[in-house]
Amino acid sequence: MTDINFAKGKVRTKSAAAGARDAAAPGGEGPPLRWDIIELLFFAYRDFVGDADHVLEAFGFGRAHHRVVHFVHRYPGLTVADLLGVLRITKQSLGRVLKQLLEEGYIVQRAGDHDRRQRLLYATAKGETLIAKLAGLQTDRITRAMRDLSPSEAAAVSQFLRAMIDREESDKVLESLLEHHRPAPRD
Amino acid sequence: MTDINFAKGKVRTKSAAAGARDAAAPGGEGPPLRWDIIELLFFAYRDFVGDADHVLEAFGFGRAHHRVVHFVHRYPGLTVADLLGVLRITKQSLGRVLKQLLEEGYIVQRAGDHDRRQRLLYATAKGETLIAKLAGLQTDRITRAMRDLSPSEAAAVSQFLRAMIDREESDKVLESLLEHHRPAPRD
DNA sequence: AAATTTATGTCAGTCATATTGACGTATCTA
DNA sequence: TAGATACGTCAATATGACTGACATAAATTT
């Protein structure tokens, strides 16, 4: 790129013709776009998973490993098919990660009682220790973020997050999470 | 894997020795881990970005493209360095995505007024249309999720998300997002 | 004016995580 | 017995990230 001042003109400094919905547009726009929440979700989630990323790196693991051990820990006896549904990935993708976690002793599998084709997954003590460490960091962040909220406001946060989740195609895990509106944590 | 019923024993069905923090542990545990919020954040974010993913696929773009056009649209005149800071990626990673978006006319760049080394980035009408479409979908989800919240509860959600974000190392964009506690959207 | 630093772009190689498609085996069900 | 299901695996590919090295133009410092 030898030249500079390419692409003059056709630069948009005001969003006057964006969708048909921006609050700036005077015509038949819908409700204003929630740029604030959209960006807050992006940054909040980035930093939320960032907590875990640093620890995982030291173990030679990635986010994929975290997710697998997490759900296996939380829902003991989860089958491979269940896990694929929750994570929404293919079994080939899961394969590598699962294999590594099995080999390194973070999770184990047993044949299903009724259906011996199934592989029921369980976290080992080693796996639970890892997950507890990661959940501890994330809990600290959540606790800090909720410190100044009243109980009813904290409940509103929970309600909001629940309502953000798709209901159709909800699997076993999601059902159990959404079913019982767990009361505020006993503390 | 020819054999079955491998890995018997050493299976943990109760989390009695996890961290030192699980509410089930009787010893010196800390506050309970917020498994509920941790999982709600995972699923809520998964479905939140899923809205955009489907549309992006039709354009041959990925999430990386979305993030770039989004921030360029929202903060016109952003420099490449700013963008790298916000996205927390390397310039090599940004390079391919940025190049593609420039070539296909979703964003343009101009030399900086004071510092002509800088490339100030702007979204074109084409880029804004794309972003408005994606933000529309995400706004619909947010609006649905906030439908049953009172204004003060909605404010609590916003406050919670803000408090989830790391303050240190906040860049220009993050500052402007966190600075003015924007009041409830005018509707 | 020359030297250095800064902002950006790019080449080359690698890694993690995801994909589709095909195929094999054990096991359950009709 | 035949077919469907649950799981594992081989192969090839794509995306989005990384490190390291190097080039250019422009600003800044000496």
Short mmCIF file of all heavy atoms in Angstrom, two decimals, chain D residues 11-26:
data_model
loop_
_atom_site.label_atom_id
_atom_site.label_comp_id
_atom_site.label_asym_id
_atom_site.label_seq_id
_atom_site.Cartn_x
_atom_site.Cartn_y
_atom_site.Cartn_z
P DA D 11 -5.74 -41.50 8.61
OP1 DA D 11 -4.85 -42.39 7.84
OP2 DA D 11 -5.22 -40.72 9.75
"O5'" DA D 11 -6.47 -40.49 7.61
"C5'" DA D 11 -7.52 -40.94 6.76
"C4'" DA D 11 -8.14 -39.75 6.05
"O4'" DA D 11 -9.26 -39.24 6.82
"C3'" DA D 11 -7.17 -38.57 5.87
"O3'" DA D 11 -7.21 -38.13 4.52
"C2'" DA D 11 -7.71 -37.51 6.82
"C1'" DA D 11 -9.20 -37.84 6.84
N9 DA D 11 -9.91 -37.37 8.03
C8 DA D 11 -9.50 -37.46 9.34
N7 DA D 11 -10.34 -36.93 10.20
C5 DA D 11 -11.38 -36.47 9.40
C6 DA D 11 -12.59 -35.82 9.70
N6 DA D 11 -12.98 -35.51 10.93
N1 DA D 11 -13.40 -35.50 8.68
C2 DA D 11 -13.01 -35.80 7.43
N3 DA D 11 -11.91 -36.42 7.02
C4 DA D 11 -11.12 -36.73 8.07
P DA D 12 -6.09 -37.11 3.97
OP1 DA D 12 -5.57 -37.64 2.70
OP2 DA D 12 -5.16 -36.78 5.08
"O5'" DA D 12 -6.96 -35.81 3.64
"C5'" DA D 12 -8.20 -35.99 2.97
"C4'" DA D 12 -9.04 -34.73 3.13
"O4'" DA D 12 -9.62 -34.71 4.45
"C3'" DA D 12 -8.23 -33.43 2.99
"O3'" DA D 12 -8.88 -32.58 2.05
"C2'" DA D 12 -8.23 -32.85 4.40
"C1'" DA D 12 -9.54 -33.39 4.94
N9 DA D 12 -9.60 -33.44 6.41
C8 DA D 12 -8.64 -33.92 7.27
N7 DA D 12 -8.97 -33.81 8.53
C5 DA D 12 -10.22 -33.20 8.51
C6 DA D 12 -11.11 -32.80 9.52
N6 DA D 12 -10.85 -32.95 10.81
N1 DA D 12 -12.27 -32.23 9.14
C2 DA D 12 -12.52 -32.06 7.84
N3 DA D 12 -11.76 -32.39 6.79
C4 DA D 12 -10.62 -32.96 7.19
P DT D 13 -8.18 -31.19 1.63
OP1 DT D 13 -8.49 -30.97 0.20
OP2 DT D 13 -6.78 -31.18 2.12
"O5'" DT D 13 -9.01 -30.14 2.48
"C5'" DT D 13 -10.44 -30.14 2.38
"C4'" DT D 13 -11.03 -29.18 3.37
"O4'" DT D 13 -10.86 -29.71 4.71
"C3'" DT D 13 -10.35 -27.81 3.39
"O3'" DT D 13 -11.27 -26.84 2.92
"C2'" DT D 13 -9.98 -27.57 4.85
"C1'" DT D 13 -10.77 -28.62 5.59
N1 DT D 13 -10.16 -29.08 6.86
C2 DT D 13 -10.86 -28.88 8.03
O2 DT D 13 -11.96 -28.33 8.07
N3 DT D 13 -10.24 -29.33 9.17
C4 DT D 13 -9.02 -29.96 9.25
O4 DT D 13 -8.56 -30.32 10.33
C5 DT D 13 -8.33 -30.14 7.99
C7 DT D 13 -6.99 -30.81 7.97
C6 DT D 13 -8.94 -29.70 6.86
P DA D 14 -10.88 -25.29 2.77
OP1 DA D 14 -11.62 -24.75 1.62
OP2 DA D 14 -9.40 -25.18 2.84
"O5'" DA D 14 -11.49 -24.64 4.10
"C5'" DA D 14 -12.87 -24.84 4.41
"C4'" DA D 14 -13.22 -24.02 5.63
"O4'" DA D 14 -12.73 -24.70 6.82
"C3'" DA D 14 -12.60 -22.63 5.65
"O3'" DA D 14 -13.57 -21.71 6.08
"C2'" DA D 14 -11.43 -22.74 6.63
"C1'" DA D 14 -11.91 -23.83 7.58
N9 DA D 14 -10.84 -24.64 8.15
C8 DA D 14 -9.84 -25.27 7.49
N7 DA D 14 -9.02 -25.95 8.27
C5 DA D 14 -9.53 -25.74 9.54
C6 DA D 14 -9.13 -26.17 10.80
N6 DA D 14 -8.05 -26.94 11.01
N1 DA D 14 -9.86 -25.79 11.86
C2 DA D 14 -10.93 -25.02 11.66
N3 DA D 14 -11.42 -24.54 10.52
C4 DA D 14 -10.65 -24.94 9.48
P DT D 15 -13.29 -20.14 5.96
OP1 DT D 15 -14.50 -19.56 5.34
OP2 DT D 15 -11.95 -19.90 5.37
"O5'" DT D 15 -13.24 -19.67 7.47
"C5'" DT D 15 -14.18 -20.19 8.39
"C4'" DT D 15 -13.70 -19.89 9.79
"O4'" DT D 15 -12.67 -20.83 10.17
"C3'" DT D 15 -13.10 -18.50 9.94
"O3'" DT D 15 -13.82 -17.86 10.96
"C2'" DT D 15 -11.63 -18.76 10.28
"C1'" DT D 15 -11.69 -20.14 10.91
N1 DT D 15 -10.47 -20.99 10.86
C2 DT D 15 -10.06 -21.62 12.01
O2 DT D 15 -10.65 -21.50 13.07
N3 DT D 15 -8.94 -22.40 11.87
C4 DT D 15 -8.21 -22.61 10.71
O4 DT D 15 -7.23 -23.33 10.73
C5 DT D 15 -8.69 -21.92 9.55
C7 DT D 15 -7.96 -22.08 8.26
C6 DT D 15 -9.78 -21.15 9.68
P DG D 16 -13.72 -16.27 11.15
OP1 DG D 16 -15.04 -15.79 11.60
OP2 DG D 16 -13.06 -15.64 9.99
"O5'" DG D 16 -12.75 -16.21 12.40
"C5'" DG D 16 -13.05 -16.96 13.56
"C4'" DG D 16 -11.85 -17.01 14.44
"O4'" DG D 16 -10.89 -17.96 13.91
"C3'" DG D 16 -11.11 -15.67 14.56
"O3'" DG D 16 -10.87 -15.40 15.93
"C2'" DG D 16 -9.80 -15.92 13.80
"C1'" DG D 16 -9.61 -17.40 14.04
N9 DG D 16 -8.72 -18.08 13.10
C8 DG D 16 -8.59 -17.88 11.75
N7 DG D 16 -7.70 -18.64 11.19
C5 DG D 16 -7.19 -19.39 12.25
C6 DG D 16 -6.19 -20.38 12.26
O6 DG D 16 -5.50 -20.81 11.31
N1 DG D 16 -5.98 -20.89 13.55
C2 DG D 16 -6.67 -20.49 14.67
N2 DG D 16 -6.34 -21.08 15.81
N3 DG D 16 -7.62 -19.56 14.66
C4 DG D 16 -7.82 -19.05 13.42
P DA D 17 -10.54 -13.93 16.37
OP1 DA D 17 -11.40 -13.66 17.53
OP2 DA D 17 -10.59 -13.02 15.19
"O5'" DA D 17 -9.00 -14.02 16.78
"C5'" DA D 17 -8.65 -14.40 18.06
"C4'" DA D 17 -7.55 -15.44 18.10
"O4'" DA D 17 -7.56 -16.34 16.98
"C3'" DA D 17 -6.12 -14.90 18.03
"O3'" DA D 17 -5.76 -14.24 19.22
"C2'" DA D 17 -5.38 -16.22 17.90
"C1'" DA D 17 -6.31 -17.02 16.98
N9 DA D 17 -5.79 -17.10 15.60
C8 DA D 17 -6.24 -16.41 14.49
N7 DA D 17 -5.58 -16.71 13.40
C5 DA D 17 -4.62 -17.62 13.81
C6 DA D 17 -3.61 -18.32 13.12
N6 DA D 17 -3.38 -18.19 11.82
N1 DA D 17 -2.83 -19.16 13.85
C2 DA D 17 -3.06 -19.30 15.15
N3 DA D 17 -3.99 -18.69 15.91
C4 DA D 17 -4.75 -17.86 15.17
P DC D 18 -4.56 -13.26 19.26
OP1 DC D 18 -4.61 -12.59 20.56
OP2 DC D 18 -4.59 -12.48 18.01
"O5'" DC D 18 -3.28 -14.23 19.21
"C5'" DC D 18 -3.11 -15.22 20.22
"C4'" DC D 18 -1.92 -16.11 19.88
"O4'" DC D 18 -2.20 -16.83 18.66
"C3'" DC D 18 -0.64 -15.34 19.60
"O3'" DC D 18 0.05 -15.13 20.83
"C2'" DC D 18 0.12 -16.28 18.69
"C1'" DC D 18 -0.99 -17.01 17.92
N1 DC D 18 -1.22 -16.52 16.53
C2 DC D 18 -0.42 -17.05 15.50
O2 DC D 18 0.45 -17.89 15.79
N3 DC D 18 -0.62 -16.64 14.23
C4 DC D 18 -1.58 -15.74 13.96
N4 DC D 18 -1.75 -15.38 12.69
C5 DC D 18 -2.40 -15.19 15.00
C6 DC D 18 -2.18 -15.59 16.25
P DT D 19 1.16 -14.02 20.87
OP1 DT D 19 1.52 -13.81 22.28
OP2 DT D 19 0.75 -12.89 20.03
"O5'" DT D 19 2.40 -14.72 20.13
"C5'" DT D 19 2.89 -15.96 20.59
"C4'" DT D 19 4.10 -16.36 19.74
"O4'" DT D 19 3.66 -16.55 18.38
"C3'" DT D 19 5.20 -15.29 19.72
"O3'" DT D 19 6.45 -15.90 19.98
"C2'" DT D 19 5.13 -14.70 18.32
"C1'" DT D 19 4.50 -15.82 17.50
N1 DT D 19 3.66 -15.32 16.40
C2 DT D 19 3.95 -15.65 15.09
O2 DT D 19 4.90 -16.34 14.78
N3 DT D 19 3.08 -15.13 14.16
C4 DT D 19 1.99 -14.35 14.39
O4 DT D 19 1.29 -13.94 13.47
C5 DT D 19 1.73 -14.03 15.78
C7 DT D 19 0.57 -13.18 16.13
C6 DT D 19 2.56 -14.52 16.70
P DG D 20 7.73 -14.99 20.26
OP1 DG D 20 8.66 -15.82 21.05
OP2 DG D 20 7.30 -13.68 20.74
"O5'" DG D 20 8.33 -14.80 18.79
"C5'" DG D 20 8.52 -15.91 17.95
"C4'" DG D 20 9.07 -15.47 16.61
"O4'" DG D 20 7.97 -15.17 15.72
"C3'" DG D 20 9.93 -14.20 16.67
"O3'" DG D 20 11.14 -14.45 15.96
"C2'" DG D 20 9.08 -13.14 16.01
"C1'" DG D 20 8.28 -13.98 15.02
N9 DG D 20 7.03 -13.37 14.57
C8 DG D 20 6.08 -12.71 15.32
N7 DG D 20 5.07 -12.27 14.61
C5 DG D 20 5.36 -12.66 13.31
C6 DG D 20 4.64 -12.45 12.11
O6 DG D 20 3.57 -11.89 11.95
N1 DG D 20 5.31 -13.01 11.02
C2 DG D 20 6.50 -13.66 11.08
N2 DG D 20 6.99 -14.12 9.92
N3 DG D 20 7.19 -13.86 12.19
C4 DG D 20 6.56 -13.33 13.27
P DA D 21 12.31 -13.37 15.93
OP1 DA D 21 13.59 -14.09 16.10
OP2 DA D 21 11.96 -12.24 16.82
"O5'" DA D 21 12.22 -12.86 14.41
"C5'" DA D 21 12.00 -13.81 13.37
"C4'" DA D 21 11.73 -13.07 12.07
"O4'" DA D 21 10.34 -12.66 12.03
"C3'" DA D 21 12.57 -11.80 11.91
"O3'" DA D 21 13.23 -11.83 10.65
"C2'" DA D 21 11.55 -10.67 11.99
"C1'" DA D 21 10.28 -11.35 11.50
N9 DA D 21 9.05 -10.73 12.00
C8 DA D 21 8.76 -10.37 13.29
N7 DA D 21 7.57 -9.82 13.45
C5 DA D 21 7.06 -9.81 12.16
C6 DA D 21 5.83 -9.36 11.64
N6 DA D 21 4.87 -8.81 12.38
N1 DA D 21 5.62 -9.50 10.32
C2 DA D 21 6.59 -10.04 9.57
N3 DA D 21 7.78 -10.51 9.94
C4 DA D 21 7.95 -10.36 11.26
P DC D 22 14.40 -10.80 10.34
OP1 DC D 22 15.40 -11.54 9.55
OP2 DC D 22 14.76 -10.08 11.58
"O5'" DC D 22 13.67 -9.76 9.37
"C5'" DC D 22 12.90 -10.28 8.28
"C4'" DC D 22 11.98 -9.20 7.75
"O4'" DC D 22 10.88 -9.00 8.65
"C3'" DC D 22 12.66 -7.84 7.59
"O3'" DC D 22 12.64 -7.50 6.21
"C2'" DC D 22 11.79 -6.90 8.42
"C1'" DC D 22 10.47 -7.67 8.49
N1 DC D 22 9.59 -7.29 9.62
C2 DC D 22 8.26 -6.91 9.34
O2 DC D 22 7.88 -6.91 8.17
N3 DC D 22 7.44 -6.54 10.35
C4 DC D 22 7.90 -6.55 11.61
N4 DC D 22 7.05 -6.19 12.56
C5 DC D 22 9.23 -6.93 11.92
C6 DC D 22 10.03 -7.28 10.91
P DA D 23 13.32 -6.19 5.63
OP1 DA D 23 14.03 -6.56 4.39
OP2 DA D 23 14.02 -5.51 6.74
"O5'" DA D 23 12.05 -5.33 5.24
"C5'" DA D 23 11.09 -5.88 4.33
"C4'" DA D 23 10.06 -4.81 4.01
"O4'" DA D 23 9.15 -4.71 5.13
"C3'" DA D 23 10.67 -3.43 3.81
"O3'" DA D 23 10.11 -2.83 2.66
"C2'" DA D 23 10.33 -2.68 5.08
"C1'" DA D 23 9.05 -3.37 5.55
N9 DA D 23 8.89 -3.38 7.01
C8 DA D 23 9.80 -3.77 7.94
N7 DA D 23 9.38 -3.67 9.18
C5 DA D 23 8.10 -3.18 9.04
C6 DA D 23 7.11 -2.85 9.99
N6 DA D 23 7.27 -2.98 11.31
N1 DA D 23 5.93 -2.38 9.53
C2 DA D 23 5.76 -2.26 8.20
N3 DA D 23 6.61 -2.53 7.22
C4 DA D 23 7.78 -3.00 7.71
P DT D 24 10.69 -1.44 2.14
OP1 DT D 24 10.71 -1.54 0.67
OP2 DT D 24 11.90 -1.07 2.90
"O5'" DT D 24 9.53 -0.42 2.56
"C5'" DT D 24 8.18 -0.75 2.28
"C4'" DT D 24 7.30 0.33 2.86
"O4'" DT D 24 7.12 0.10 4.28
"C3'" DT D 24 7.88 1.73 2.71
"O3'" DT D 24 6.87 2.58 2.20
"C2'" DT D 24 8.30 2.11 4.12
"C1'" DT D 24 7.29 1.32 4.96
N1 DT D 24 7.72 0.98 6.34
C2 DT D 24 6.81 1.13 7.36
O2 DT D 24 5.68 1.53 7.20
N3 DT D 24 7.28 0.78 8.60
C4 DT D 24 8.54 0.33 8.92
O4 DT D 24 8.85 0.05 10.08
C5 DT D 24 9.45 0.20 7.81
C7 DT D 24 10.84 -0.29 8.05
C6 DT D 24 9.00 0.52 6.58
P DA D 25 7.27 4.01 1.58
OP1 DA D 25 6.75 4.06 0.20
OP2 DA D 25 8.70 4.29 1.87
"O5'" DA D 25 6.40 5.00 2.47
"C5'" DA D 25 5.07 4.61 2.80
"C4'" DA D 25 4.63 5.38 4.02
"O4'" DA D 25 5.23 4.79 5.21
"C3'" DA D 25 5.04 6.84 4.01
"O3'" DA D 25 3.90 7.60 4.33
"C2'" DA D 25 6.13 6.94 5.08
"C1'" DA D 25 5.76 5.81 6.02
N9 DA D 25 6.87 5.18 6.75
C8 DA D 25 8.08 4.79 6.26
N7 DA D 25 8.87 4.23 7.16
C5 DA D 25 8.11 4.28 8.32
C6 DA D 25 8.36 3.85 9.64
N6 DA D 25 9.51 3.27 10.02
N1 DA D 25 7.40 4.04 10.56
C2 DA D 25 6.26 4.61 10.18
N3 DA D 25 5.89 5.06 8.97
C4 DA D 25 6.88 4.86 8.09
P DA D 26 3.90 9.19 4.17
OP1 DA D 26 2.57 9.58 3.64
OP2 DA D 26 5.14 9.64 3.49
"O5'" DA D 26 3.96 9.64 5.69
"C5'" DA D 26 2.98 9.13 6.57
"C4'" DA D 26 3.40 9.39 7.98
"O4'" DA D 26 4.54 8.57 8.32
"C3'" DA D 26 3.82 10.84 8.25
"O3'" DA D 26 3.01 11.32 9.30
"C2'" DA D 26 5.30 10.74 8.62
"C1'" DA D 26 5.41 9.31 9.14
N9 DA D 26 6.72 8.69 9.03
C8 DA D 26 7.52 8.62 7.93
N7 DA D 26 8.66 7.99 8.13
C5 DA D 26 8.59 7.62 9.47
C6 DA D 26 9.48 6.93 10.31
N6 DA D 26 10.67 6.46 9.90
N1 DA D 26 9.10 6.72 11.59
C2 DA D 26 7.91 7.20 11.99
N3 DA D 26 6.99 7.87 11.29
C4 DA D 26 7.40 8.05 10.03
#
